[in-house]
């Protein structure tokens, strides 16, 4: 990796590691031989603030928050572009079934986006007027999300779909 590493994420099967720098591309590392021949051409969006990519639980997809206010979803095996979501600021996590992606709009409002149909729906049970979600964490079983807000509060939601 060239430059400071700002973001890291393992694939769920533990075979791959993604790394990203603020000014460079996202690299996919094969952990079996510690090499990286696979490079996504996309530069991360706001990588200095939070990790901005995520693997799906089934390791089939990888989503990357990109410069240009886009989130791109790639097929992990081939790195072919599956979907491009416009006017999105960052990626948080995939749902347990790998069919939906927790993303945020440019103003930071979180919602679920279906990877196949590209339809968006609100986070269940989330209410309130937020201008920006600063951080998001999703539990390993993908049933609970924690949203860090600029006022120092943490909002927790049941993500049952």
């Amino acid at each position: 990796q060239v430059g400071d590493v700002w973001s890291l994420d393992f694939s769920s099967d533990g075979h791959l590691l993604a790394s990203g720098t603020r000014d460079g591309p996202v690299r996919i590392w094969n952990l079996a031989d510690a090499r990286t021949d696979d490079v996504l051409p996309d530069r991360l969006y706001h990588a200095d603030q939070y990790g901005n990519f995520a693997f799906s639980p089934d390791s089939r997809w990888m989503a990357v928050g990109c410069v240009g206010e886009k989130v791109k979803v790639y097929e992990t095996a081939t790195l072919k572009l599956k979907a491009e979501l416009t006017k999105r600021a960052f990626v948080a996590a995939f749902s347990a079934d790998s069919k939906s992606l927790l993303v945020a709009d440019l103003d930071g409002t979180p919602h679920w986006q279906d990877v196949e149909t590209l339809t968006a729906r609100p986070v269940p049970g989330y209410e309130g007027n937020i201008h920006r979600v600063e951080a998001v964490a999703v539990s390993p079983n993908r049933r609970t999300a924690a949203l860090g807000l600029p006022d120092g509060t943490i909002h927790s939601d049941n993500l049952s779909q």
Side-chain angles (χ1 to χ4, degrees):
Q1 190 78 46
V2 177
D4 295 342
V5 176
W6 289 91
S7 302
L8 295 168
D9 194 30
F10 284 101
S11 62
S12 297
D13 61 13
H15 294 122
L16 302 174
L17 175 68
S19 65
T21 65
R22 182 177 182 178
D23 298 322
V26 176
R27 295 184 183 279
I28 310 297
W29 299 83
N30 180 333
L31 297 178
D33 57 14
R35 67 176 173 78
T36 178
D37 293 331
D38 297 322
V39 177
L40 299 177
D42 302 301
R43 295 191 186 284
L44 294 179
Y45 181 78
H46 289 296
D48 59 326
Q49 295 179 22
Y50 36 74
N52 209 16
F53 43 78
F55 285 100
S56 62
D58 63 6
S59 297
R60 183 175 177 198
W61 309 112
M62 181 185 180
V64 180
C66 303
V67 168
E69 301 172 348
K70 298 175 188 171
V71 168
K72 295 182 181 181
V73 180
Y74 291 92
E75 184 177 4
T76 305
T78 63
L79 296 184
K80 288 185 181 177
L81 185 64
K82 162 70 177 159
E84 186 173 301
L85 316 174
T86 59
K87 297 185 180 178
R88 302 294 179 251
F90 66 90
V91 174
F94 280 88
S95 60
D97 63 6
S98 299
K99 293 181 181 178
S100 296
L101 183 61
L102 184 59
V103 296
D105 286 334
L106 299 178
D107 68 357
T109 305
H111 64 271
W112 286 105
Q113 185 111 26
D114 187 288
V115 175
E116 295 291 333
T117 66
L118 304 183
T119 56
R121 63 186 184 283
V123 173
Y126 185 82
E127 295 179 9
N129 181 12
I130 62 168
H131 297 288
R132 184 163 184 98
V133 172
E134 298 291 341
V136 179
V138 178
S139 65
N141 66 7
R142 302 292 204 263
R143 293 186 182 153
T144 305
L147 308 174
L149 305 177
D151 65 2
T153 60
I154 298 173
H155 180 83
S156 179
D157 273 311
N158 179 342
L159 300 179
S160 300
Q161 298 197 29

